[in-house]
Amino acid sequence: MSLWIDSLLAVLAVFLAVRCLLAPTLPQCVFLFFAFGLTLALAWARLGAVDVAIAEAAIAAGFLGVLLIDALRDFSRSRSTGEGGDRPSRVSQGLVGAGVLVFLVVAIEAVWRVPNGGGLTALAADNLPQSGVDHPVTAVLLNYRSYDTWLEVGVVLMALLALFATGGREYFCRPVVRAVDPLLRQVILLFTPVLFLVGAFLLYLGKTEPGGAFQAAVLWGAGGILLHLGGWPVFASMAPWLRHLLLTAGFGFFLLLGFLFMAGGGALFEYPLAQAGLLILVVETLAALSIAAALTAIFAYFNGMSAESAEPFTPASS
Amino acid sequence: MTDLPASPLVALLVGVPIAFALVSLFFRTEGRARTGLLGSLGTTALAFPAILEVARKGTVIHLLGGWAPPLGILLRLDPLAAVFIGMTALVGGVISLYAWWYFRKEATAGGTSALFWPLWLFLWAGLNGLFLSNDLFNLFVTIEVVGICAVALAVLSGKAASLIAGLRYLLAAIAGSMGYLFGVALLYGSTGTLDITLLGAALTPGPATTFALIVMTLGLMIKTACFPLHFWLPPAHAAALPPVSALLSALVVKGTFYILLRLWTEVFGVSLTFAAGQLIGVAGAVAVLWGSWQALMQDRLKLIVAHSSVAQLGYLLMVFPLIVLAPGVAAESANWLSPAWTAAVYQVMAHGFAKASFFLSAGIIVIALGHDRKSSLRDLVARLPMTAMAIAVAGVSLIGLPPSGGFFAKWMLLKGIFMSEQWWWAPAVLGGSFLTAGYVFMILRLAFAPAEAGQPVRPVPKALQVCALVLAIGSFLIVLPADHIIQFLESTAPFATGVETYPEGGRHGND
């Protein structure tokens, strides 16, 4: 039975990926991408990596999907400016296809022949008592390799700055006021606290079970995006200093804590065992908050981009 | 590796620029520039005690989180990393001063030029982290940091051309990162470790290792803009703002070259063949000739300089065929390894100084005349004497005339080529120099030619011109401490180490 499910998922993932690449119109492409993301999430769950499955479903299918649909709306509006570029010739298409095929065959062969190196699973489990948490994935992310996680939290912030750079402005526009369905507004009001609680639960769960900062952040970010769409642009209309504090809290506090313990004679990100559990929870909470803020900011910024003439919340005068 | 002396300075090299970048975000234009400049100068200053520490104690390390590899991540500051960090500190410091004056002058109200400072400090931290990292996955994270900040900086001017070039740059960078990451996954699967030192000892030859070598090398070659994967570089570097072009060309592309050098000498020894080294050398030789020829054909100064980067990066690749030894040659008997490594390090430094200076000068010409077409160079000697001087001095270093850093690098490269009897690389080195002389002398000829009448010259702050000239002169001054630098580098591997290869069917035989 499980073999059937696994084979079905494997075939479905490849099929959806190919269909997505070959889809003739952009909307089809986007929705196939959704379906592909969800299939991948299921595959991760089948592989026993529930944390990755949640992250895949929430970020790749959920958050990216929302951004893509938002972009799609802008595309359909400016359709009149011209349809696509010139298509590559059949010969070059064939050559690229053949090249990709050869690459895939060689890659699969190489992956097939990977000798079993054992990995670090046993070592990570052995050191759990010294890490301050009870779940090996959380121990890897926030203690053994916290330096990588710290830089990755920073990458989310840098992505937002990169978006500011491409958009040519560093402030958020008032969202285009559309008639919002009163029922929708009620549903959003109902959902926001639920999303917040489920996010907090996932965050706390990370101590012992699959879950953690990135998963919680996506749920909180979803809450922020829903509020924005419902006509309460909470994040975008915040005072700039508060907004910056939210965006930098995770990355900054992580580093501050690292510097503090380094001043005490330890290494960067070395936590004393007695406080490690608590410190990791605080660091995770702030990181989740910052990532959620960055995700909301990315959406709010995109959403404001479609209305070029919209007035800013904070004028850019210096 | 874990019993080496530890030093907190190593972690500060990454932490300090990030702390300044985060603080700078809270300020508007003026305060942000001040915090940014302070952070830049602080990061430059930090490099000196770090290098002194290495000179005194040898390689120093930092165990992040207190965990030793393979579980944790190890940062190691050895002489090679110290030289790269020092070069970044000096060139980056002068570019920061230039940027300070440049953005004051521009003062584009409501624009995004204030984003320069946090992005540049994040980028700098990423580069320092890259030079220090001894962990394959952590290297991936650092190239992500460097890549995303570099793309963001490249589009900062907001012009359509820079956005299109920036998108291309982004796609190339992502493709490169994915190739690299795929290889990392294969290596971790085969050996169960990500630490470079442990990996080098544990890796066995086989199809998975060979495939990882190929995808990681290709991925890093895209990011280093190696021929024929250099297509993204000229438009992206030419369309960016002057301080950004300078740091992209002088510093960013050197980061992935550094990883390539480390991987080939410290990890992939078991899987490399003599032919692989020759192949990458061919890519380098073609890049030198093709890039220089393209530079000669351009009619905008910034495009000339950007294409020249493709060529100068080619010289770096020509070091690989010298380092990967022919089957049967023992590393102990290969006396050309030291000149070859010296050539690589000096080419990185000389190009860093000279190219940064060149792009900064191009920026000055755009401020003064409003464009950078060839005609803008006319009568430069009378109009902007200091900038003309900077271009001449930097150009001499790019050509490789004595006594510049560029000369020293190319001379060492030729020495290595002849000592290893791989004379077939020599024509490319010399041909590249002749073509480079072609476009540099063309620029200088125009600089002495009379100007077209009626072209007004806007005033340019003296400070900008001084920055460009200082970097140009720097590309000569680096030769003075050459003895000390080489001695410093020779105290530890991987400097002057070679990769021994075996005839097919020996230790190497696939399958």
Side-chain angles (χ1 to χ4, degrees), chain A residues 107 110 113-115 117 120 127 143-145 147-148 150-151 164 168-170 244 248 251-252 267-269 317-318, chain B residues 18 22 25-26 28-29 32 62-65 67 70-71 112 115 122 135 137-138 141 186 188-190 192 211 511:
Chain A
R113 302 260 196 117
V114 167
L120 296 170
N127 284 286
N143 204 333
Y144 307 148
R145 298 184 67 94
Y147 176 59
D148 276 346
W150 170 63
L151 282 175
F164 287 162
R169 62 185 157 82
E170 220 187 309
H244 285 134
T248 55
F251 199 32
L268 192 67
F269 304 131
S317 58
S318 47
Chain B
I18 287 187
L22 287 175
L25 277 174
F26 285 88
R28 293 277 183 82
T29 330
R32 191 179 284 178
H62 195 89
L63 291 174
L64 289 158
W67 297 98
L71 204 54
T112 43
L115 278 172
F122 282 139
D135 183 282
F137 185 77
N138 180 246
V141 180
L186 286 175
Y188 176 70
S190 327
F211 190 70
D511 297 319

Side-chain angles (χ1 to χ4, degrees), chain B residues 388-427:
Chain B
M389 176 81 176
I391 288 182
V393 173
V396 164
S397 185
L398 284 184
I399 301 169
L401 295 179
S404 65
F407 161 74
F408 188 59
K410 273 146 215 169
W411 181 52
M412 281 291 161
L413 185 60
L414 280 173
K415 195 173 158 189
I417 285 169
F418 287 119
M419 282 166 85
S420 67
E421 290 169 357
Q422 298 189 30
W423 47 265
W424 51 91
W425 301 117

Side-chain angles (χ1 to χ4, degrees), chain B residues 52-224:
Chain B
L52 279 180
E53 186 106 322
V54 185
R56 220 176 318 122
K57 297 184 185 165
T59 305
V60 287
I61 58 163
H62 195 89
L63 291 174
L64 289 158
W67 297 98
L71 204 54
I73 301 168
L74 180 134
L75 297 184
R76 63 102 189 68
L77 178 60
D78 63 4
L80 186 65
V83 168
F84 273 79
I85 285 173
M87 191 272 290
T88 309
L90 290 175
V91 176
V94 179
I95 294 175
S96 302
L97 285 169
Y98 180 96
W100 163 260
W101 294 105
Y102 181 83
F103 288 120
R104 266 170 86 94
K105 161 127 199 15
E106 290 287 291
T108 41
T112 43
S113 60
L115 278 172
F116 172 83
W117 293 103
L119 283 169
W120 162 222
L121 285 170
F122 282 139
L123 172 72
W124 199 338
L127 277 174
N128 277 352
L130 184 156
F131 296 137
L132 292 170
S133 181
N134 201 42
D135 183 282
L136 285 190
F137 185 77
N138 180 246
L139 277 172
F140 167 75
V141 180
T142 59
I143 59 179
E144 284 301 281
V145 169
V146 170
I148 199 161
C149 293
V151 172
L153 285 167
V155 301
L156 217 50
S157 73
K159 298 212 178 74
S162 80
L163 282 171
I164 294 167
L167 188 63
R168 246 207 241 189
Y169 184 6
L170 181 69
L171 291 176
I174 289 176
S177 300
M178 287 302 115
Y180 176 81
L181 187 61
F182 192 11
V184 172
L186 286 175
L187 293 182
Y188 176 70
S190 327
T191 60
T193 181
L194 290 162
D195 183 75
I196 287 183
T197 317
L198 298 175
L199 201 59
L203 207 59
T204 48
T209 311
T210 306
F211 190 70
L213 163 71
I214 294 168
V215 284
M216 289 171 93
T217 304
L218 283 177
L220 292 170
M221 279 175 78
I222 295 179
K223 294 200 121 187
T224 319

